[in-house]
Amino acid sequence: MPDVIVRKTVSALEEIYHEGGPVAETPLRRASVMTIIKNPFAGRYVVDIQPFMEDLKPLGLSMAQQLLDMLGGPDNIQGYGKGALIGEAGELEHGALWHAPGGYAMRQLLGKANAIVPSAKKVSGLGARLDVPITHINAAYVRSHFDSMEVGCNDAPRADEMALMLVMTTGPRVHSRSGGLEAWQIKGEDGLR
C-alpha cells in the first residue's frame, strides 16, 4: 500500500461555560484533530483498498494521543467521535477506511471505552465542514453526551485529499437536562447502556 502522506494537521479546543443558562463551574471541553492526507485512490477505482486501513493505524494513534494531551489525559475523557471529508476525486468508501484506525486508536489509548465510536463522512469540496457526532465512551445511549463538533479547514480537502478527524470531550452538554440514561446509570455490559 502507498505511504500516508500528510499535508497538514489542524487542531481546535473549545471551552464551553454556558449556552445561555448558568455559568458552569467546570467548562465542557471539546477538542478536535484533523489531519489532511493525500488520497492514494483519488481519480480511479481500486477494488482492494482495505490494506490502507493498516497504514492509517499509526496516524490514528498519533491523533488520539494529541487529543488526550489537549484534554489532560484519558481520565478526563467522557465522549468521542470520528469523521472524514473526502475530496471530489475520491469516493465515500475511502472515508470508511478511517472507521477502524480512528476508532480503535481512541479506544486503545483510553483503555476503558466500550461504546462504538460514532462517525460521519462525506465527499466534499474545498473548505467543507463536518459535524462530527459525539457519544459517551462507555454507553452510546447516554443522552446527555449526544453532541457534535464542527470540524473543517479553509483549504481542505483538495480533490486528491482526505481530511481525517477525531474528536473527544470531557463531559455532557453544558446544560444537559433532556432526561434519558445518565452517565451514573451506565451498566457497562454492552457499550449501549
Side-chain angles (χ1 to χ4, degrees):
M1 287 273 59
D3 292 331
V4 177
I5 301 171
V6 175
R7 179 164 67 89
K8 73 179 191 177
T9 299
V10 178
S11 60
L13 175 65
E14 297 180 4
E15 292 185 323
I16 304 166
Y17 290 88
H18 70 87
E19 294 285 352
V23 175
E25 268 187 49
T26 304
L28 167 64
R29 299 178 80 215
R30 293 192 295 205
S32 66
V33 175
M34 176 176 65
T35 301
I36 295 99
I37 68 169
K38 182 168 183 55
N39 181 349
F41 312 112
R44 60 198 175 98
Y45 181 82
V46 177
V47 173
D48 188 14
I49 60 175
Q50 289 184 23
F52 194 55
M53 286 190 285
E54 196 66 32
D55 298 328
L56 291 172
K57 284 183 179 179
L59 178 63
L61 287 168
S62 173
M63 290 169 65
Q65 185 61 57
Q66 187 176 347
L67 285 171
L68 292 176
D69 294 344
M70 291 169 71
L71 295 171
D75 291 341
N76 293 329
I77 308 305
Q78 292 186 28
Y80 55 20
K82 64 185 182 295
L85 292 171
I86 308 306
E88 296 168 354
E91 60 178 286
L92 190 61
E93 194 64 14
H94 301 159
L97 295 173
W98 186 232
H99 285 304
Y104 285 121
M106 289 192 290
R107 292 173 74 182
Q108 177 182 332
L109 294 182
L110 288 170
K112 58 179 172 122
N114 295 324
I116 192 167
V117 181
S119 67
K121 59 190 168 300
K122 66 181 180 180
V123 175
S124 62
L126 203 60
R129 304 191 67 79
L130 187 68
D131 289 331
V132 178
I134 299 165
T135 58
H136 194 280
I137 64 171
N138 282 311
Y141 290 176
V142 175
R143 194 178 300 166
S144 60
H145 288 64
F146 292 173
D147 202 352
S148 66
M149 184 173 183
E150 185 182 49
V151 181
C153 175
N154 65 328
D155 70 344
R158 295 176 180 166
D160 65 345
E161 292 179 332
M162 296 193 288
L164 306 175
M165 306 163 185
L166 296 180
V167 172
M168 291 184 189
T169 68
T170 60
R173 296 181 311 280
V174 75
H175 296 308
S176 171
R177 57 193 187 282
S178 62
L181 184 67
E182 297 289 340
W184 62 268
Q185 296 173 309
I186 295 172
K187 293 179 183 172
E189 297 168 358
D190 59 7
L192 299 175
R193 296 176 183 82

